[in-house]
């Protein structure tokens, strides 16, 4: 391998001559730090003129991942592009730094003190909505990194040196970090366990049962009364929003009708021993949306939820395993759970959920507990489970899910196909023909035969696999995941401090009395701005330019909207990177790392008009001048 001189692939797609030009350019910067590097005309196709940002909707919609859902939307295949002909610079990369099951007993007063620290989830008013949301990775990502010309803005430790200020220092309307709020929400959900101990001892390893002895701990997230209110006030559809299920004599049945789920029909099923599963409570109830969005910011992965209402003395589902990390929060009543280990190593951390399993095939439970209101049960992917309610009381719990299709294998599925394309385009070794005896030495019928031809073939494959790493677009695969999350993600829940300092509420309005538009506001060069949320956008270099994917215009219905993005001039990309890296701090428009005051204002206005940035303070009303 030492003799291999790798081509710079798409990550550094320069010719030798162009590389020398770059070296000279860097030398000039080293001699005079105060000068900006010359602006070379990029070969990346621009969306428009250098001062324009164009909004484009594109992409494909797909159906919900719910097993019993019948709703579907058109889906468009987007294959990764071929090796592009443009030559682009390398992006400067920053580095950021089973035993027995535990049943945790908690004292009521201790639980209350923990609960008091989590006001973010205690939102009591229901909010009806006709929209909801969920996940996709249909986006076309080019594997090359491109220069954002921010290299001089980092110190030797990789810290961004841009002049930014904290919200506290500016006395900004919003000083919170959405990712930190997500961490606090997760800690509240798990308390008294620390996050570090949970990930060390339980995450993807074994179930955790948390006994709280505080029935009110999760009460504001959802309730049976809220479900009844939603059934009466919203247009709930069978299969899309609600499942009716039963399980008896070893057989699970789904009793969904077609069309709207009217309350009297739904509760009649319930009275006859059927369980109710609300597939997307975040669509209709604001506290559920708040909980899931906060957790989504923390996990950087889509978080969904189902609510299960089970009548006394019944079981709604057959034994099965799920393909998500599940947190079961008991809201009302009681439910008795039996949990079983994966039946084999092949079924550990599965990629897909199971079908209905037979009782005789799952063995003996490794955990058997009764959840009461306020308790939590964590189930890793692949752990088989089933539950029944007590004869004297109903049960309602919410299952919070995350990390669906978010494994190393899913990352490699995006990485390796593109790496092969790049290797074949740039390295003749991958284009050489197979040996003449390939079909005589390879295949199942030859798998037990050791021959020189077979050994040589396998040795060559190993060599090429090692060589393939030289062409692997590691960051582009990460961007592919990130752009997919922007399609999957729930939209942010904005508070009044966000709205009054952004386009979402502040600004122009029609005055009936004056018969004209008033309250004209404008960004100024000294206006301090930041992203409206930490994980609201993903900047991606694609074959046809720089795209900013975002989740701001998603609904609370999974994939109801197509992937949301807009194109921007490559010269403006450093400003977006600066906003990403400086969050949660604020940066003045005039300090954005873009050449020219007009260009700085163009970028800021473009992001402002799409609601992606928020100012530190409400903008000045120019009508008062």
């Amino acid at each position: 391998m030492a003799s291999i001189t790798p081509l710079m692939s798409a990550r550094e797609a320069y010719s030798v001559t162009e590389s020398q030009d770059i070296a000279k350019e860097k030398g000039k910067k080293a001699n005079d730090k105060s000068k900006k590097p010359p602006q070379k005309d990029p070969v990346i196709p621009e969306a428009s003129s250098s001062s324009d940002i164009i909004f484009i909707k594109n992409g494909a919609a797909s159906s919900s991942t719910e097993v019993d859902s019948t709703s579907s939307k058109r889906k468009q295949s987007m294959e990764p592009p071929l090796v592009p002909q443009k030559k682009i610079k390398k992006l400067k990369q920053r580095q950021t730094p089973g035993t027995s099951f535990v049943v945790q007993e908690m004292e009521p007063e201790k639980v209350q003190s923990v609960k008091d620290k989590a006001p973010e989830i205690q939102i009591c008013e229901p909010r009806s909505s006709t929209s909801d949301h969920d996940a996709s990775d249909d986006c076309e990502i080019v594997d090359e990194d491109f220069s954002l010309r921010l290299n001089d803005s980092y110190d030797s430790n990789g810290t961004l040196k841009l002049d930014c200020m904290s919200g506290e220092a500016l006395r900004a309307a919003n000083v919170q970090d959405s990712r930190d709020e997500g961490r606090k929400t997760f800690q509240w959900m798990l308390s008294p366990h620390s996050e570090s101990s949970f990930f060390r001892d339980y995450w993807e390893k074994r179930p955790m049962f948390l006994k709280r002895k505080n029935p009110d701990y999760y009460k504001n997230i959802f309730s049976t009364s809220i479900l009844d209110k939603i059934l009466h006030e919203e247009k709930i559809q069978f299969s899309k929003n609600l499942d009716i299920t039963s399980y008896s004599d070893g057989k699970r049945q789904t009793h969904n009708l077609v069309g709207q789920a009217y309350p009297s029909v739904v509760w009649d099923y319930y009275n006859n021993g059927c369980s109710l599963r609300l597939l997307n409570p975040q669509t209709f109830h604001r506290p559920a949306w708040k909980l899931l969005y906060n957790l989504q910011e923390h996990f950087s992965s889509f978080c969904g939820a189902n609510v299960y209402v089970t009548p006394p003395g019944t079981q709604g589902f057959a034994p099965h395993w799920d393909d998500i990390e599940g947190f079961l929060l008991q809201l009302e009543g009681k439910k008795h759970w039996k949990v079983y280990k994966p039946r084999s190593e092949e079924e550990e951390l599965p990629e897909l959920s199971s079908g209905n399993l037979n009782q005789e095939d799952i063995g003996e439970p490794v955990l058997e507990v009764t959840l009461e209101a306020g308790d939590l049960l964590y189930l890793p992917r692949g752990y088989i489970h089933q539950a029944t309610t007590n004869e004297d009381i109903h049960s309602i719990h919410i299952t919070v899910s995350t990390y669906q299709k978010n494994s190393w294998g899913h990352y490699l599925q995006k990485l390796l196909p593109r790496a092969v394309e790049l290797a074949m385009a740039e390295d003749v070794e991958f284009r050489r023909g197979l040996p003449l005896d390939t079909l005589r030495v390879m295949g199942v019928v030859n798998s037990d035969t050791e021959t020189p031809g077979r050994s040589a073939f396998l040795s060559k494959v190993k060599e090429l696999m090692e060589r393939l790493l030289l062409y692997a677009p590691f960051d582009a695969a990460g961007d592919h995941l990130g752009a997919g999350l922007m399609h999957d993600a729930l939209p942010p829940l904005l508070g009044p401090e966000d709205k009054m300092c952004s386009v979402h509420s502040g600004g122009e309005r029609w005055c009936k009395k004056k018969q004209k538009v008033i309250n004209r506001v404008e960004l100024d060069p000294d206006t301090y701005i930041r992203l409206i949320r930490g994980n609201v956008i993903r900047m991606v270099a694609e074959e046809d330019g720089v795209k900013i994917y975002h989740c701001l215009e998603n609904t609370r219905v999974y994939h109801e909207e197509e992937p949301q993005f807009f194109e921007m001039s490559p010269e403006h990309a450093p400003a977006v990177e600066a906003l990403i890296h400086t969050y949660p701090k604020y940066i003045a428009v005039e300090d954005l790392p873009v050449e020219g005051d007009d260009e700085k204002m163009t970028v800021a206005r473009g992001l402002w008009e799409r609601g992606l940035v928020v100012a530190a303070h409400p903008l000045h009303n120019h009508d008062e001048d």
Side-chain angles (χ1 to χ4, degrees):
M1 295 299 293
S3 64
I4 297 176
T5 303
L7 299 179
M8 283 177 279
S9 76
R11 297 194 303 277
E12 303 170 294
Y14 274 123
S15 64
V16 175
T17 302
E18 288 170 321
S19 298
Q20 293 172 348
D21 292 339
I22 296 170
K24 294 178 182 178
E25 192 174 305
K26 290 183 177 178
K28 293 179 181 179
K29 288 194 289 185
N31 293 331
D32 188 0
K33 291 284 186 177
S34 64
K35 294 182 180 180
K36 295 284 184 181
Q39 296 284 338
K40 296 178 65 178
D41 293 333
V43 188
I44 300 177
E46 295 185 11
S48 61
S49 65
S50 62
S51 61
D52 291 335
I53 300 178
I54 295 181
F55 177 77
I56 298 177
K57 287 187 177 182
N58 194 9
S62 63
S63 63
S64 168
T65 57
E66 292 297 340
V67 175
D68 296 319
S69 176
T70 58
S71 62
S72 63
K73 300 178 184 295
R74 66 183 178 85
K75 187 171 183 180
Q76 170 184 329
S77 175
M78 291 186 173
E79 297 299 328
L82 297 177
V83 178
Q85 300 302 312
K86 60 182 178 294
K87 310 299 181 183
I88 49 187
K89 298 181 183 179
K90 183 177 182 180
L91 174 65
K92 176 178 177 65
Q93 299 183 28
R94 300 178 61 208
Q95 295 182 351
T96 55
T99 56
S100 60
F101 299 100
V102 174
V103 179
Q104 185 72 30
E105 297 288 344
M106 296 180 61
E107 297 300 325
E109 51 270 19
K110 184 174 182 180
V111 175
Q112 187 62 42
S113 66
V114 173
K115 176 185 175 183
D116 293 340
K117 297 178 183 178
E120 294 302 320
I121 303 301
Q122 308 306 316
I123 307 176
C124 299
E125 80 281 8
R127 176 70 62 88
S128 61
S129 171
T130 57
S131 59
D132 173 280
H133 178 247
D134 257 29
S136 152
D137 45 25
D138 290 335
C139 52
E140 189 176 18
I141 308 298
V142 174
D143 59 304
E144 297 112 319
D145 296 331
F146 56 96
S147 172
L148 300 184
R149 295 180 294 280
L150 270 181
N151 292 1
D152 290 340
S153 298
Y154 293 96
D155 61 24
S156 58
N157 296 322
T159 303
L160 201 62
K161 297 185 295 184
L162 293 174
D163 186 13
C164 53
M165 294 185 66
S166 68
E168 290 83 358
L170 288 170
R171 296 185 178 180
N174 191 346
V175 300
Q176 292 181 331
D177 182 339
S178 61
R179 297 164 300 191
D180 189 54
E181 291 301 304
R183 180 191 60 79
K184 291 177 181 177
T185 298
F186 185 58
Q187 182 61 72
W188 168 80
M189 196 170 76
L190 289 179
S191 291
H193 284 287
S194 68
E195 180 182 354
S196 59
S197 67
F198 170 77
F199 281 108
R200 182 189 66 236
D201 299 331
Y202 299 101
W203 178 255
E204 294 187 335
K205 298 181 181 72
R206 57 193 177 118
M208 182 185 80
F209 172 49
L210 179 58
K211 188 73 175 174
R212 277 216 170 77
K213 298 181 180 179
N214 182 357
D216 294 333
Y217 197 80
Y218 297 128
K219 73 173 185 178
N220 289 321
I221 296 175
F222 207 85
S223 68
T224 311
S225 297
I226 292 297
L227 175 60
D228 184 64
K229 182 179 177 67
I230 290 171
L231 289 172
H232 280 87
E233 296 181 356
E234 302 287 348
K235 189 175 182 180
I236 302 300
Q237 299 284 327
F238 284 110
S239 299
K240 178 182 179 180
N241 308 121
L242 186 74
D243 284 334
I244 308 293
T245 67
S246 65
Y247 179 78
S248 61
D249 299 327
K251 183 179 179 181
R252 181 225 162 150
Q253 291 182 296
T254 300
H255 307 280
N256 291 350
L257 303 178
V258 177
Q260 184 170 349
Y262 293 101
S264 59
V265 175
V266 172
W267 290 122
D268 186 54
Y269 273 116
Y270 174 86
N271 285 333
N272 282 280
C274 293
S275 293
L276 315 179
R277 177 170 69 170
L278 184 65
L279 301 177
N280 39 18
Q282 67 273 16
T283 305
F284 310 104
H285 193 46
R286 191 178 179 88
W289 176 19
K290 177 71 171 180
L291 171 69
L292 296 179
Y293 183 80
N294 282 355
L295 294 174
Q296 177 180 282
E297 285 287 281
H298 182 56
F299 281 100
S300 295
S301 177
F302 174 74
C303 293
N306 289 341
V307 168
Y308 298 83
V309 183
T310 311
T314 64
Q315 178 173 339
F317 294 86
H320 66 283
W321 73 68
D322 295 315
D323 62 346
I324 48 88
E325 301 299 312
F327 298 87
L328 286 61
L329 315 181
Q330 189 70 21
L331 305 174
E332 298 172 9
K334 298 179 182 180
K335 203 164 196 178
H336 188 76
W337 288 86
K338 294 180 180 180
V339 182
Y340 309 79
K341 279 187 176 181
R343 299 176 298 181
S344 64
E345 185 176 343
E346 290 75 17
E347 293 179 356
E348 292 181 7
L349 301 177
E351 181 182 4
L352 301 174
S353 297
S354 73
N356 298 326
L357 303 176
N358 295 323
Q359 197 70 45
E360 57 271 17
D361 295 335
I362 59 179
E364 294 297 320
V366 294
L367 180 65
E368 190 167 355
V369 294
T370 297
L371 263 65
E372 299 180 280
D375 296 346
L376 175 146
L377 177 62
Y378 161 70
L379 295 175
R381 303 193 305 279
Y383 269 79
I384 301 167
H385 51 277
Q386 61 179 331
T388 57
T389 51
N390 293 10
E391 293 290 342
D392 59 340
I393 190 171
H394 81 289
S395 166
I396 177 172
H397 78 272
I398 184 170
T399 296
V400 174
S401 63
T402 191
Y403 258 60
Q404 186 182 50
K405 301 187 186 327
N406 200 34
S407 67
W408 282 105
H410 292 100
Y411 173 79
L412 291 174
Q413 285 176 350
K414 302 180 186 305
L415 177 72
L416 296 181
R418 189 67 184 127
V420 171
E421 289 184 9
L422 293 171
M424 291 189 69
E426 300 180 9
D427 191 336
V428 68
E429 287 301 312
F430 289 86
R431 301 195 298 271
R432 296 193 187 281
L434 292 170
L436 295 179
D437 63 349
T438 296
L439 298 183
R440 293 196 296 272
V441 300
M442 299 305 299
V444 175
V445 297
N446 303 307
S447 59
D448 295 328
T449 305
E450 291 295 335
T451 64
R454 181 179 176 85
S455 297
F457 187 94
L458 295 177
S459 177
K460 182 64 176 179
V461 170
K462 182 178 179 181
E463 174 195 336
L464 292 177
M465 290 298 292
E466 293 175 350
R467 196 181 187 110
L468 188 64
L469 292 178
L470 298 172
Y471 305 94
F474 300 107
D475 291 310
D479 282 337
H480 201 153
L481 288 173
L485 175 60
M486 291 300 99
H487 188 200
D488 300 345
L490 287 166
L493 192 156
L494 304 180
E497 67 280 357
D498 299 307
K499 294 179 179 179
M500 69 182 182
C501 297
S502 71
V503 73
H504 295 278
S505 180
E508 287 80 352
R509 63 181 178 85
W510 176 257
C511 179
K512 182 178 179 180
K513 181 178 181 181
K514 296 183 179 181
Q515 289 293 293
K516 68 175 184 177
V517 175
I518 63 170
N519 198 32
R520 180 173 58 89
V521 300
E522 293 182 2
L523 290 173
D524 295 314
D526 60 352
T527 302
Y528 276 85
I529 61 174
R530 73 171 188 177
L531 292 178
I532 200 162
R533 289 292 185 272
N535 293 325
V536 76
I537 66 172
R538 185 80 185 190
M539 183 167 65
V540 176
E542 297 191 1
E543 187 175 53
D544 53 350
V546 178
K547 288 187 174 69
I548 308 299
Y549 287 85
H550 64 91
C551 64
L552 189 65
E553 296 181 21
N554 291 355
T555 71
R556 288 184 273 166
V557 177
Y558 183 70
H559 287 186
E560 185 174 59
E561 296 291 332
E562 295 181 352
Q564 305 295 312
F565 65 84
F566 58 90
E567 295 180 349
M568 73 177 343
S569 169
E571 286 88 351
H572 294 159
V576 178
E577 184 184 359
L579 288 165
I580 291 172
H581 288 313
T582 56
Y583 183 88
K585 294 183 178 180
Y586 290 80
I587 183 172
V589 174
E590 61 190 359
D591 292 330
L592 292 173
V594 178
E595 288 285 358
D597 292 340
D598 290 343
E599 300 302 298
K600 297 176 193 286
M601 292 300 299
T602 295
V603 177
R605 288 194 191 101
L607 296 172
W608 170 271
E609 290 169 0
R610 289 167 180 82
L612 293 169
V613 296
V614 60
H617 311 99
L619 296 188
H620 173 64
N621 183 356
H622 288 260
D623 291 327
E624 296 175 355
D625 296 341

